[in-house]
Amino acid sequence: MIPGRHPRNGSGERRATGNAASICCIESFDPEQTLGLFGDSPVGVTHFCGLPAMFQLMASLPGFAEARLRPVVVAVGGSPVPRSLVDRWTAKGVSVMADFGATEACSTILTMPRRGSDGPSAIGIPVVHAECSVRDLDGSELPAGRIGELWVRGPLLMQGYWNKPEETAQAITPEGWFRTGDAAQVDQDGIFHIMDRWKDMYISGGENVYPAEVESVLHQHPDVVLASMVGVPHERWGETGRAFVVLSGRSTATAEELRTWCRERLAAYKVPTDVEFLDDLPRNATGTILKKELRTVMSR
């Protein structure tokens, strides 16, 4: 976003028009171009909203370490936000706010207060007009620290899916709660933590594994640009994890090195059994990593 310019009246004096701003649009996301705009004083970008993958790609550029960035305020959301991403950009003087939202709730539901919070899964507190609750499978509200499904209620919600009454009834309870399909918990300070999508969770040896936690650890490795993990069938454990990783061009990291990296930071049952290296991860038009496509890769 670029600070607005006040028009002048006939005498050449600037005419007050109240708060105004301009939007800087580019045809498509390009990591090098976008990073350059963050440091371009004449353009004067002040705010930017993007997905974690966008920031991971920009941070992997050879010139990122030396880049001089303006004090840009960025909102990151659309998928779990690795703590390493927040720390890396904050160290560059960029103000990072992690957000969580849903199309059914007019975008943002939770956002992080500027005071921050510990933990890689912390995502924030409800925005105005949003009431949030963590529920178990039978719909009972769970106490702080327990993982359940995030439910949302308030005037920011949709009325329903167009011409899909059955899907609407499954998504919205008679009391007006929208089931987000996201695994979450709330801590003692009232900060909500998003663990992962319910459908992405898998069970290994009787233990729930949330791929987002493992992906966050992989992103902490200095050579990892992008990482995503899915559950795969396993004869002994029921399911285990397979990680798909994109490395920086200069990296010589091996699968076993990354598994050791995870083993030093995670419980044994969370460590991926396999690591597969790809040149890139499948993403949709907005940059969200498509795990369905990764499962297709596995079946080839």
Side-chain angles (χ1 to χ4, degrees):
M1 186 175 292
I2 308 170
R5 296 176 174 84
H6 296 287
R8 297 178 181 273
N9 59 23
S11 64
E13 298 176 344
R14 289 191 298 181
R15 183 175 69 253
T17 58
N19 294 329
S22 299
I23 297 176
C24 178
C25 295
I26 55 179
E27 185 173 346
S28 61
F29 171 73
D30 177 270
E32 189 169 359
Q33 180 186 18
T34 305
L35 183 64
L37 288 172
F38 284 179
D40 191 328
S41 294
V43 175
V45 173
T46 59
H47 293 75
F48 180 82
C49 180
L51 296 164
M54 295 178 176
F55 292 93
Q56 297 283 13
L57 290 169
M58 286 189 283
S60 69
L61 293 172
F64 180 78
E66 294 77 28
R68 292 178 172 271
L69 307 183
R70 292 170 43 80
V72 182
V73 177
V74 301
V76 191
S79 59
V81 182
R83 186 67 197 184
S84 57
L85 182 155
V86 176
D87 293 341
R88 194 168 189 181
W89 282 86
T90 300
K92 296 287 291 182
V94 174
S95 179
V96 181
M97 295 186 295
D99 290 331
F100 168 83
T103 303
E104 294 88 344
C106 299
S107 190
T108 305
I109 297 170
L110 300 164
T111 189
M112 182 62 70
R114 290 190 178 276
R115 63 181 176 84
S117 178
D118 293 331
S121 59
I123 203 68
I125 59 176
V127 298
V128 176
H129 305 313
E131 181 182 359
C132 297
S133 176
V134 177
R135 305 295 180 106
D136 63 13
L137 293 177
D138 66 7
S140 299
E141 188 167 21
L142 294 172
R146 293 279 302 279
I147 297 176
E149 184 181 14
L150 178 66
W151 288 20
V152 182
R153 184 167 65 177
L156 76 174
L157 285 181
M158 66 172 184
Q159 293 183 351
Y161 296 110
W162 181 253
N163 289 334
K164 295 182 178 180
E166 292 184 2
E167 291 187 17
T168 298
Q170 292 176 354
I172 301 178
T173 72
E175 296 76 28
W177 288 101
F178 170 64
R179 300 182 174 99
T180 66
D182 291 280
Q185 65 177 337
V186 61
D187 63 26
Q188 297 292 340
D189 295 324
I191 301 292
F192 282 79
H193 297 244
I194 301 297
M195 312 310 294
D196 212 335
R197 294 289 294 173
W198 272 120
K199 65 181 180 181
D200 291 334
M201 182 197 78
Y202 64 89
I203 300 175
S204 184
E207 300 284 353
N208 293 347
V209 181
Y210 299 96
E213 180 183 6
V214 185
E215 292 161 3
S216 180
V217 169
L218 286 168
H219 281 129
Q220 293 172 27
H221 191 284
D223 290 350
V224 172
V225 177
L226 294 173
S228 186
M229 195 171 84
V230 298
V232 297
H234 191 275
E235 184 176 350
R236 180 178 181 184
W237 302 114
E239 290 180 291
T240 56
R242 176 174 294 176
F244 294 86
V245 174
V246 177
L247 296 175
S248 64
R250 64 184 181 280
S251 175
T252 58
T254 64
E256 188 54 36
E257 178 182 335
L258 293 184
R259 293 184 70 250
T260 299
W261 176 272
C262 291
R263 194 178 297 113
E264 293 170 349
R265 294 162 175 81
L266 294 167
Y269 66 88
K270 299 179 182 179
V271 176
T273 303
D274 302 300
V275 177
E276 184 170 341
F277 297 107
L278 299 176
D279 293 334
D280 198 1
L281 298 184
R283 299 190 298 276
N284 63 17
T286 63
T288 299
I289 294 172
L290 300 173
K291 294 199 175 190
K292 182 179 179 180
E293 295 294 328
L294 290 176
R295 294 186 177 94
T296 301
V297 170
M298 291 189 302
S299 64
R300 292 174 185 170

